[in-house]
Amino acid sequence: DGGITQSPKYLFRKEGQNVTLSCEQNLNHDAMYWYRQDPGQGLRLIYYSQIVNDFQKGDIAEGYSVSREKKESFPLTVTSAQKNPTAFYLCASRIGRGVQGYTFGSGTRLTVV
Amino acid sequence: KQEVTQIPAALSVPEGENLVLNCSFTDSAIYNLQWFRQDPGKGLTSLLLIQSSQREQTSGRLNASLDKSSGRSTLYIAASQPGDSATYLCAPPPNFGNEKLTFGTGTRLTIIP
């Protein structure tokens, strides 16, 4: 079945560490997105990519980095510059601009220890 | 800038009742609108996608309507069941040139057995 796979499901980060969250899709979707979800704040866009080797900042990109070397993969790195990284991270994709909807992964919960 | 409001923020109803969840948005220049369900600690599951040319979309006990001119959408759930308990989110995907998918904070629904 086609879908989006996020890994790991749970991730723990020590202060000062960089960690990378994986997002892989086999839907042949062009566009991919990373959202952060905090309690009571809804979803906020971190980064998005419409094509391979290109990506754009969202509303809260500071302290995060991404790459899009392959169409299927859009990993998110949470750097030590992100001061409050504890949150639920969701990856999404869609076929491209236009009338198609979004597909979401099952999320990664990141906790700073 | 698109703003999305969902009312009520929380709703508890006895099992078997019909209910309506509301979604309003400020920018009516949209391709479509998507309703999602989110269970605690999980990703988003797409429920319904209404194209801008449609007024309604149905899937089982769910019916979603879209009124672009007034900036409103409703999600109707018939004969509610305890398994319907979840947070429901609506999102009008952006038009051409804007990739930010804006969410409201959702409606947290509890069905009482």
Side-chain angles (χ1 to χ4, degrees):
Chain A
D1 287 339
I4 297 180
T5 301
Q6 289 189 241
S7 62
K9 189 175 178 66
Y10 300 96
L11 187 57
F12 298 91
R13 192 194 92 167
K14 294 182 180 179
E15 296 280 354
Q17 269 188 341
N18 292 354
V19 291
T20 298
L21 284 61
S22 171
C23 178
E24 303 277 334
Q25 54 99 359
N26 60 2
L27 300 164
N28 199 31
H29 284 178
D30 296 308
M32 298 186 73
Y33 308 81
W34 274 105
Y35 283 87
R36 169 179 171 144
Q37 187 175 35
D38 296 280
Q41 292 197 41
L43 281 79
R44 293 181 289 170
L45 182 63
I46 305 172
Y47 267 99
Y48 64 93
S49 168
Q50 295 170 350
I51 58 172
V52 174
N53 292 322
D54 185 58
F55 47 83
Q56 305 296 329
K57 292 181 179 180
D59 294 328
I60 55 166
E62 184 175 352
Y64 299 97
S65 65
V66 293
S67 63
R68 187 86 187 276
E69 298 177 0
K70 299 186 298 182
K71 188 176 184 178
E72 308 79 36
S73 178
F74 191 42
L76 174 73
T77 297
V78 184
T79 75
S80 57
Q82 171 50 238
K83 298 307 179 187
N84 185 24
T86 295
F88 190 52
Y89 291 86
L90 287 161
C91 180
S93 72
R94 71 168 175 162
I95 197 164
R97 293 169 176 169
V99 299
Q100 300 301 318
Y102 291 74
T103 300
F104 278 80
S106 57
T108 292
R109 183 164 300 280
L110 174 63
T111 304
V112 174
V113 296
Chain B
K1 176 185 175 184
Q2 179 75 275
E3 294 182 5
V4 179
T5 303
Q6 290 189 247
I7 295 174
L11 181 64
S12 293
V13 300
E15 180 179 1
E17 284 199 3
N18 303 327
L19 57 100
V20 175
L21 307 181
N22 297 291
C23 170
S24 61
F25 47 93
T26 55
D27 183 357
S28 62
I30 59 173
Y31 283 127
N32 51 46
L33 185 139
Q34 198 165 1
W35 280 93
F36 296 90
R37 167 189 173 133
Q38 186 176 30
D39 294 286
K42 305 292 185 183
L44 274 65
T45 300
S46 180
L47 297 173
L48 289 164
L49 175 67
I50 315 172
Q51 304 297 342
S52 59
S53 58
Q54 299 174 311
R55 291 188 62 87
E56 288 189 6
Q57 186 71 254
T58 298
S59 176
R61 295 182 293 107
L62 305 180
N63 175 276
S65 67
L66 176 62
D67 184 344
K68 277 185 57 176
S69 61
S70 66
R72 293 192 299 181
S73 177
T74 61
L75 179 67
Y76 175 83
I77 302 177
S80 58
Q81 302 172 359
D84 295 330
S85 297
T87 296
Y88 291 80
L89 297 154
C90 71
N95 262 337
F96 186 85
N98 175 10
E99 284 299 314
K100 180 183 172 184
L101 179 62
T102 301
F103 287 89
T105 52
T107 295
R108 189 172 69 254
L109 176 64
T110 302
I111 305 301
I112 305 165

